[in-house]
């Protein structure tokens, strides 16, 4: 117990709006999207409410307290080891019946608890009318209605939090049928003195019956053969009651309780088929759905390019002018070099990155909040099987188009370690926002939009080929797709703006300084003629192997920090401005440059996250894989250029 | 709507014509009789709210023998299930008198 700062954890099934509710209370801190499994790690925040400070914790979603996926285990650590002062069980009211199963399980803990019925707007649209008072009576805990996207219900929730904590109200677990309850009681009494009790004895006994491999099991049961026999005996007894495994009996008990409570507290008027549902059937249609999918992605990149390129051209002008003015004013001095490096870094961020980055963020936000990611996973599952993965990797790849880092974090939703490994190795090949900028700014802007389309297509092909190869190396059958399809939701404009702002702020805080610092550093290097030395060293590789101008050596190396940095430094290194680029590089060299920067190594932050998530070996493997693919593909382009 | 006696799947399955979830015609309600496959799969499906006795409807299929879109009428949730998994779920048609 923590008296001065009570700890409140948000627990609920995936996609019920925990993070949205958390953000509504704590300010935008956690990523949200209409896809089950968005949050994969916890987020803390301290909240001041009526003169008292609370620590609130947003957790990943979990379907039950018996975890299956790595991110679900996070929930257990928080609930069991860190003993929260209060559990806020967030429930998607439009899926009340199913969600109540977790609520029933949470009540077994007998911790202070509040139930939040979120998404009341959707429940009403579905024709459900839920009687909160009745539900409150049945569950024995306060029930609060909310619409988190609109910030409704947060005041009531915090008031209730204060009340429950002050009055130290603890709920009582709901009882199963007597014959099952009898066996649980029996085991409860048999628990040895030194058995590690979690929450309370009844809960511990239930978990012992349910769990297939409880962490305690292994150590404890080996040393207590007698208890093990008794446990097996009781499991068999329970199993005999219904003629199916003991864990299923317990699950069925919860299911019945949930159904009963649902039927008593919720009336469903016969809902008419909504237009949204018809539309949903259309976009998941086997033929039309695929057509729509291609259209959406093609449309997205077309839009980004259409918005970005004129904006870029327009924004570049003043910075070019400033650079020219600096050169005129200060000549060839160190100051001039440094200043123009600075201008390059700042201007590059504003004029080259933002015009593509912001539209991409907005459109990704739209895609995420509508619920389309899960649908893409459904539609593409078969194709993913051809390359040795399954549909659940699709949303991760799509996320990778925004930024590889969160995409790699999100691979925690994959149950199998093998799928996760392959997906993590492939994500760095997805052109993220930074690389999209490079592709659009160089390939589309200078060579024409169709070249960019071809480039993306080729990029996907590379990923498919790699995936096939990797899945042959790491053989293992995947368990197959099990994915909840969330309802389509109207993206809330405010939420998308907040998300975009959040991601943009992140870019400004972390990436932009690197861009500016890198540009200034390059100016310094070139003033001291140090870049020559590096270029000379890299020359056999850069000009010999790749056939690029020698002066691009340093540029490529810096791409490791941030991919956009290569783009900015390229102009600096070649000593030309944007419009004249093709006067010093030919088409082939431009393509090789883009390919190489795109593939050659995961950027620093991506590499760091791979290291953190998967370990050093995988990070190293990822570097080697990227490097070899970049070299091979570059050589292929040289070869193709020789032939045609 | 829900009778415990119906849950005793193995007995009932001898009388009623059962089929695999993957063979269900679209749009008709079926009842889950049994979930085969290891306990791992069973637990996962249980957690998602797929229990013996629940009513299911096939909402759609992805192209080229892709996954199935299954709606659980009892709990009103929608889940995409790969063919391999759908082949492990045994269902029976719901008779009219229910
Ligand atoms: N219509 C409606 N949408 C909501 C409401 N609350 C959240 N959403 C949307 O539901 C989606 C899921 O919200 P999240 O907050 O990411 O859900 P979560 O519970 O954190 O999900 P996981 O982290 O995946 O477990 C988002 O697209 C939200 O914008 C609500 O009250 N009404
Ligand atoms: Mg979340």
């Amino acid at each position: 117990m923590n008296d001065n700062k009570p700890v409140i954890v948000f627990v609920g099934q995936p996609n019920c709006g925990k993070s949205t509710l958390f953000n509504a209370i704590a300010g935008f801190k956690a990523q949200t999207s209409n896809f089950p499994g968005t949050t994969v790690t916890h987020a803390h925040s301290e909240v001041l409410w009526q003169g008292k400070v609370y620590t609130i914790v947003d957790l990943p979603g979990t379907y039950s307290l018996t975890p299956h996926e790595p991110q679900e285990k996070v929930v257990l650590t928080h609930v069991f080891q860190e003993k929260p002062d209060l559990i806020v069980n967030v429930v998607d009211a439009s899926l009340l019946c199913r969600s109540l199963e977790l609520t029933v399980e949470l009540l077994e803990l007998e911790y202070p608890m509040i139930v939040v019925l979120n998404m009341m707007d959707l429940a009403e649209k579905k024709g459900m009318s839920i009687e909160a008072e009745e539900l409150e009576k049945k569950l024995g805990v306060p029930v609060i209605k909310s619409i988190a996207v609109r910030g409704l219900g947060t005041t009531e929730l915090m008031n209730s939090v204060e009340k429950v904590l002050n009055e130290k109200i603890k709920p009582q677990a709901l009882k199963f049928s007597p014959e099952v309850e009898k066996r649980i009681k029996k085991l409860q009494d048999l628990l040895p003195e030194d058995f590690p009790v979690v929450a309370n004895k009844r809960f511990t006994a239930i978990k012992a019956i349910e769990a297939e491999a409880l962490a305690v099991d292994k150590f404890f049961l080996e040393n207590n053969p007698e208890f093990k026999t008794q446990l097996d005996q009781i499991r068999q007894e329970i199993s005999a009651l219904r003629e199916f495994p003991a864990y299923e009996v317990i699950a069925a008990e919860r299911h019945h309780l949930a159904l009963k409570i649902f039927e008593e507290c919720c009336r469903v008027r016969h809902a008419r088929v909504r237009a949204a549902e018809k539309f949903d059937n259309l976009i998941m249609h086997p033929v039309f759905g695929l057509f729509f999918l291609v259209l959406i992605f093609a449309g997205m990149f077309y839009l980004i390019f259409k918005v970005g390129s004129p904006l870029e051209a327009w924004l570049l002008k003043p910075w070019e002018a400033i650079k020219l003015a600096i050169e005129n004013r200060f000549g060839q001095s160190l100051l001039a070099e440094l200043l123009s490096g600075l201008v390059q870094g700042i201007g590059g961020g504003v004029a080259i990155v933002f015009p593509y980055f912001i539209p991409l963020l907005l459109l990704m936000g739209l895609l995420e909040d509508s619920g389309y990611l899960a649908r893409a996973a459904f539609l593409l599952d078969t194709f993913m099987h051809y390359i040795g993965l399954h549909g659940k990797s699709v949303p991760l790849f799509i996320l990778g188009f925004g930024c590889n880092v969160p995409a790699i974090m999100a691979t925690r939703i994959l149950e199998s370690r093998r799928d996760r490994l392959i997906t993590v190795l492939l994500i760095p090949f997805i052109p993220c926002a930074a690389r999209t900028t490079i592709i659009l700014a160089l390939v589309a802007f200078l060579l024409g939009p169709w070249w960019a389309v071809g480039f993306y297509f080729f990029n996907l092909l590379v990923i498919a080929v790699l995936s096939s190869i990797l899945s042959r190396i790491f053989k293992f059958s995947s368990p197959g797709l099990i994915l909840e399809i969330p309802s389509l939701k109207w993206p809330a404009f405010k939420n998308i703006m907040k998300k975009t702002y959040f991601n943009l702020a992140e870019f400004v805080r972390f990436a932009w300084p690197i861009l500016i610092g890198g540009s200034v550093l390059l100016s310094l290097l070139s003033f001291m003629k140090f870049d020559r030395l590096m270029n000379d060293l890299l020359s056999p590789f850069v000009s010999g192997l790749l056939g690029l101008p020698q002066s691009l050596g340093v540029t490529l190396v810096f791409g490791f920090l941030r991919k956009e940095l290569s783009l900015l430094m390229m102009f600096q290194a070649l000593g030309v401005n944007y419009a004249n680029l093709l006067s010093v590089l030919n088409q082939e060299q431009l393509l090789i440059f883009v390919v190489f920067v795109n593939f050659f190594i995961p950027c620093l932050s991506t590499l760091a996250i791979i290291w953190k998530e998967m370990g050093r070996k995988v990070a190293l493997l990822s570097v080697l894989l990227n490097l070899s693919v970049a070299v091979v593909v570059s050589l292929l382009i040289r070869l193709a250029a020789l032939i045609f | 709507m829900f009778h415990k006696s119906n849950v005793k799947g193995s007995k009932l399955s001898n009388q009623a014509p059962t089929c695999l979830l993957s063979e269900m015609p679209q749009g008709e309600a079926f009842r889950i009789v049994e979930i085969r496959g290891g306990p791992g799969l069973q637990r996962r499906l249980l957690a998602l709210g797929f229990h013996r006795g629940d009513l299911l409807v096939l909402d759609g299929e992805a192209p080229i023998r892709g996954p199935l879109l299954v709606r659980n009428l009892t709990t009103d949730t929608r889940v995409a299930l790969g063919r391999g998994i759908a082949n492990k779920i045994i269902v029976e048609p719901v008779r009219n008198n229910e």
Side-chain angles (χ1 to χ4, degrees), chain A residues 356-369:
Chain A
Y356 298 106
F357 193 52
I358 296 175
L360 182 71
L361 287 181
L362 283 171
L363 289 175
M364 285 294 293
L366 221 61
L367 212 55
E368 284 170 16
D369 277 13

Side-chain angles (χ1 to χ4, degrees), chain A residues 63 68-69 95 98 101 126 210 212 243-244 247-248 255-256 280 286 375 378 382 479 481-485, chain B residues 2 4 7 11 39 42-44 48 51-52 54 62-64 66-67 76-82 85:
Chain A
Y63 287 107
H68 302 274
E69 293 161 10
L95 298 174
R98 207 260 326 260
E101 286 178 33
K126 253 179 146 178
E210 267 191 305
E212 166 181 34
E243 293 174 37
F244 40 79
Y247 63 82
E248 197 180 336
H255 187 48
H256 290 170
D280 199 8
R375 281 153 182 88
F378 171 75
T382 318
L481 181 72
I482 303 182
L483 179 67
E484 187 178 356
I485 307 290
Chain B
F2 195 93
K4 263 186 197 156
V7 183
K11 273 180 198 157
Q42 280 194 16
R43 283 164 191 272
R44 261 199 81 67
L48 270 161
H51 303 260
R52 267 180 237 245
D54 285 0
I64 330 179
D76 199 17
T77 44
R78 269 207 309 179
V79 175
L81 294 177
I85 288 163

